[in-house]
Amino acid sequence: MSDSITMGGGKREFICIVCPVGCPLKAEGDGDAVKVTGNACPRGAVYGRQEYLRPMRVVTSNAAVQGGDRPLVSVKTSGEIEKARIPDALARIRGLIVSAPVEIGQILIDDLAGAPLVATAAVGKV
Amino acid sequence: MTGIRATDVAVIGAGPAGLAAAVAAVDKGANVLLLERDARPGGILQQCVHNGFGLHYFGEELTGPEYAARFAGEAARRADRVSFLPDTMALSLDSDRTITAVSPREGPLTIKPGAVVLAMGCRERARGALGIAGTRPAGVYTAGAAQRLVNLDGYLPGRRVVILGSGDIGLIMARRLTWEGAKVLMVCELMPYSSGLNRNIVQCLRDYDIPLYFNTTVSRVHGSERVEAVTVVKVDGKRQAIPGTERVVECDTLLLSVGLMPENELTRMAGIQLDPVTGGAVVDERRQTSLPGVFACGNVLQVHDLVDHVSREAEIAGRYAAGYAKAGTLPMPKLSVSAEGFTRYVVPQRISAEPEGMVDLYFRVGDAVKPARLTVRTADGKTILTRRKKAMTPGEMEHVKVDVSKLTGDVVVVTEAVGNV
Ligand SMILES: Cc1cc2nc3c(=O)[nH]c(=O)nc-3n(C[C@H](O)[C@H](O)[C@H](O)COP(=O)(O)OP(=O)(O)OC[C@H]3O[C@@H](n4cnc5c(N)ncnc54)[C@H](O)[C@@H]3O)c2cc1C
Ligand code: SF4
């Protein structure tokens, strides 16, 4: 995976995802100075710079529930985390066992790669 | 037999459409019976654990279960006026709006409502609809069925996966399965473009170096007990397989994400007119079907990509269903709305004799147009509005607001390509 490294120089290409046009972006830089080309509007430059320097993603998954009326509860990071840390985050979610009942919005892990992990559904107790 | 139940409005299906319709009907003074064949409300959103829902409606990004929970909460707050009947399957709808249903708790039910809202959602197209050759081993799933297995039941459907179809469900599942430890080998797309959102192509495929092959399909499934491989083949401009381009890809799972079909068995039973393009009922701007007092909204009416639009459409249907239940009548359709140029269909297909205020026309194009000009005109040639759009794709539903008081005749929604002749 070529574009998962934080910082780092060189030229990289992205598709802008900010609007349906999907401009093909080229980003090049060293350190914090990033030059973005190919963007038809300023929002693309902001996105390209972020993608180049430090791509961020929300992670959504499921965690195992003990004693619940369902075996799983859906979860998300309540903000974006660094893309490079997603594998770690997923491994920790896989190891998680939550006891029922679970409230929607309940914090399940305080700091998962930089953001809290919260439940996105409620699970009742059996 | 548990007698006959009367109610102002019966809503069939408690996905986001049914929930929003029920809430809107109550807020217009109706009592509502909400029938759902599943044990819980929420519909397909229960298994859509990814985020991206609600940006338009709530101005924030929610996951599917969170979005559903907001509407289920609104319905629960009106519990004195909404009776939720879980595990209840509607079996038939008559032309006099009588519904028969069955549930393990209540047995058979006959419901005589003042008005009906159809909110049954849609179904995925399965292998049978595609005619893929080869054996019938285990390991062929629709993407939605696989999503249910992973997200609700906690099973991984396979370890080496080929996905056919690059719509959003296929893309979301590529990432979901990758995150759960499976290897997604490729996504094949019959068309020269994806109907999925750019964001999903980037964040579900590119992030994980999963190749997306356009003009490519799966022509054969191999394996006796379990899928062992699939044959992948390139197609020409007429979507015919190109001989000599076949390639056998070893895998244990094939996911099909090849389109959704509105689930209109009940609609058909009641003799309601269907639109052959959308697969849903023909409705007017109040979402009333050709059978007075029966309304439709959500994926049973037209396949939506944004649940936000589902909620808005359902609120219209719920509101007018309550109105019909009270008054026993609504103005009948007067004008028709049709599609021209790249426009593939328009919903609503009719405008009633007494439309109120501004009406949103929802439509899709049949092919990617970049850039495009959109014109709404009357059949007698009067232009109502024109808009320029940077890009329009079949994957994104468009809508345009029209002042219906200006309408002097049938309406035509035209999409043309501009500039790049
Ligand atoms: C895999 C997937 C991913 C999606 N991703 C997104 C996304 O990222 N963002 C977004 O905005 N939208 C997304 N959508 C679209 C959105 O989820 C749908 O548009 C929305 O759920 C449709 O709502 P609905 O109520 O019409 O249908 P559904 O949610 O399908 O609900 C229909 C309900 O009716 C019930 N029912 C059907 N027949 C009967 C019967 N005879 N008797 C009783 N009950 C019945 C069903 O059990 C179901 O609960 C996605 C959809 C899918 C399938
Ligand atoms: S650069 Fe601007 S116009 Fe191009 S895709 Fe991004 S947001 Fe859209």
Side-chain angles (χ1 to χ4, degrees):
Chain A
M1 254 167 19
S2 53
D3 59 348
S4 66
I5 312 136
T6 317
M7 307 298 265
K11 200 172 207 159
R12 272 176 275 139
E13 296 181 4
F14 314 109
I15 303 171
C16 181
I17 63 162
V18 180
C19 91
V21 176
C23 295
L25 306 179
K26 285 200 173 75
E28 187 170 19
D30 52 315
D32 256 6
V34 182
K35 198 172 132 239
V36 179
T37 52
N39 54 306
C41 85
R43 290 187 300 167
V46 175
Y47 170 79
R49 183 171 190 280
Q50 177 73 39
E51 259 321 84
Y52 187 86
L53 292 175
R54 209 160 73 106
M56 303 291 285
R57 303 285 187 264
V58 169
V59 170
T60 57
S61 187
N62 296 287
V65 178
Q66 201 164 44
D69 58 11
R70 286 195 265 178
L72 299 173
V73 61
S74 51
V75 297
K76 70 173 182 187
T77 54
S78 75
E80 294 184 319
I81 66 169
E82 272 177 56
K83 192 177 116 184
R85 297 178 70 184
I86 291 177
D88 277 355
L90 289 169
R92 280 184 68 194
I93 295 171
R94 224 169 280 133
L96 184 67
I97 298 173
V98 189
S99 327
V102 187
E103 294 292 323
I104 191 164
Q106 186 179 324
I107 295 176
L108 306 175
I109 297 178
D110 290 326
D111 181 358
L112 183 72
L117 185 78
V118 299
T120 57
V123 178
K125 219 179 153 105
V126 275
Chain B
M1 272 304 271
T2 349
I4 291 172
R5 309 248 319 231
T7 182
D8 296 332
V9 176
V11 178
I12 307 178
L19 288 168
V23 167
V26 167
D27 291 351
K28 282 280 169 190
N31 287 311
V32 175
L33 220 50
L34 179 55
L35 283 66
E36 170 55 56
R37 66 180 169 200
D38 200 356
R40 294 184 179 80
I44 200 83
L45 290 185
Q46 295 180 83
Q47 66 184 61
C48 298
V49 304
H50 58 281
N51 73 331
F53 300 83
L55 212 50
H56 297 263
Y57 195 94
F58 292 113
E60 59 181 304
E61 280 199 55
L62 302 172
T63 63
E66 290 173 308
Y67 190 96
R70 294 221 176 163
F71 282 92
E74 289 299 316
R77 255 189 292 287
R78 292 162 179 78
D80 53 329
R81 321 233 22 203
V82 180
S83 319
F84 177 56
L85 302 181
D87 300 310
T88 304
M89 171 100 180
L91 301 173
S92 72
L93 173 66
D94 294 345
S95 55
D96 69 352
R97 295 191 299 272
T98 303
I99 298 167
T100 58
V102 64
S103 91
R105 193 152 18 125
E106 309 214 19
L109 282 166
T110 303
I111 300 159
K112 291 210 177 274
V116 176
V117 178
L118 304 173
M120 291 92 76
C122 61
R123 206 177 30 223
E124 288 176 287
R125 293 214 304 162
R127 181 177 172 186
L130 291 180
I132 300 173
T135 53
R136 313 249 130 196
V140 182
Y141 299 89
T142 62
Q147 187 180 49
R148 198 179 173 93
L149 276 178
V150 176
N151 290 342
L152 295 183
D153 305 330
Y155 295 107
L156 194 59
R159 303 228 151 253
R160 289 175 62 81
V161 184
V162 170
I163 300 179
L164 176 59
S166 66
D168 286 315
I169 311 176
L171 300 177
I172 293 286
M173 281 313 291
R175 178 177 64 186
R176 191 78 199 93
L177 292 171
T178 303
W179 280 358
E180 289 301 322
K183 172 83 186 155
V184 177
L185 301 164
M186 62 178 71
V187 176
C188 302
E189 171 59 58
L190 183 67
M191 302 301 287
Y193 53 82
S194 165
S195 64
L197 297 173
N198 265 331
R199 172 166 112 155
N200 287 337
I201 292 175
V202 171
Q203 298 192 349
C204 300
L205 299 188
R206 285 200 156 202
D207 274 5
Y208 303 96
D209 291 333
I210 298 168
L212 169 56
Y213 298 116
F214 293 118
N215 299 308
T216 302
T217 191
V218 169
S219 60
R220 183 170 285 275
V221 176
H222 310 266
S224 47
E225 302 275 302
R226 174 84 201 186
V227 173
E228 287 164 15
V230 297
T231 299
V232 168
V233 68
K234 288 252 158 223
V235 298
D236 61 22
K238 294 196 183 90
R239 295 185 226 163
Q240 297 301 312
I242 304 173
T245 62
E246 297 87 356
R247 176 151 73 104
V248 176
V249 179
E250 277 179 36
C251 60
D252 60 20
T253 304
L254 172 65
L255 289 199
L256 304 174
S257 174
V258 290
L260 303 168
M261 290 182 306
E263 190 156 335
N264 272 300
E265 280 69 25
L266 297 176
T267 322
R268 239 173 250 121
M269 264 183 224
I272 290 167
Q273 188 190 349
L274 294 177
D275 179 331
V277 182
T278 59
V282 171
V283 294
D284 67 11
E285 79 283 1
R286 295 181 172 90
R287 302 301 184 272
Q288 183 169 228
T289 67
S290 64
L291 182 60
V294 177
F295 299 76
C297 56
N299 277 353
V300 78
L301 179 60
Q302 55 173 333
V303 173
H304 288 262
D305 28 46
L306 285 183
V307 69
D308 310 62
H309 292 158
V310 170
S311 303
R312 298 224 186 276
E313 183 170 85
E315 285 164 355
I316 298 172
R319 196 159 67 231
Y320 287 110
Y324 187 96
K326 211 175 291 166
T329 179
L330 276 179
M332 291 306 285
K334 184 169 164 224
L335 304 175
S336 74
V337 185
S338 57
E340 202 180 290
F342 283 94
T343 314
R344 199 162 68 86
Y345 71 78
V346 190
V347 172
Q349 296 89 340
R350 302 277 184 268
I351 304 283
S352 76
E354 293 164 42
E356 296 162 357
M358 302 293 282
V359 167
D360 275 306
L361 302 178
Y362 289 87
F363 64 97
R364 276 181 204 273
V365 291
D367 213 335
V369 208
K370 253 191 219 197
R373 183 174 51 234
L374 169 71
T375 310
V376 180
R377 58 171 172 81
T378 52
D380 54 21
K382 192 166 133 196
T383 300
I384 297 163
L385 61 83
T386 58
R387 294 243 189 300
R388 276 185 70 103
K389 295 250 178 192
K390 274 195 211 159
M392 286 163 112
T393 62
E396 291 194 45
M397 186 185 286
E398 304 278 344
H399 65 114
V400 58
K401 252 189 206 321
V402 172
D403 184 351
V404 282
S405 64
K406 287 194 184 146
L407 296 177
T408 51
D410 288 349
V411 185
V412 189
V413 177
V414 193
T415 308
E416 297 160 301
V418 285
N420 51 354
V421 199

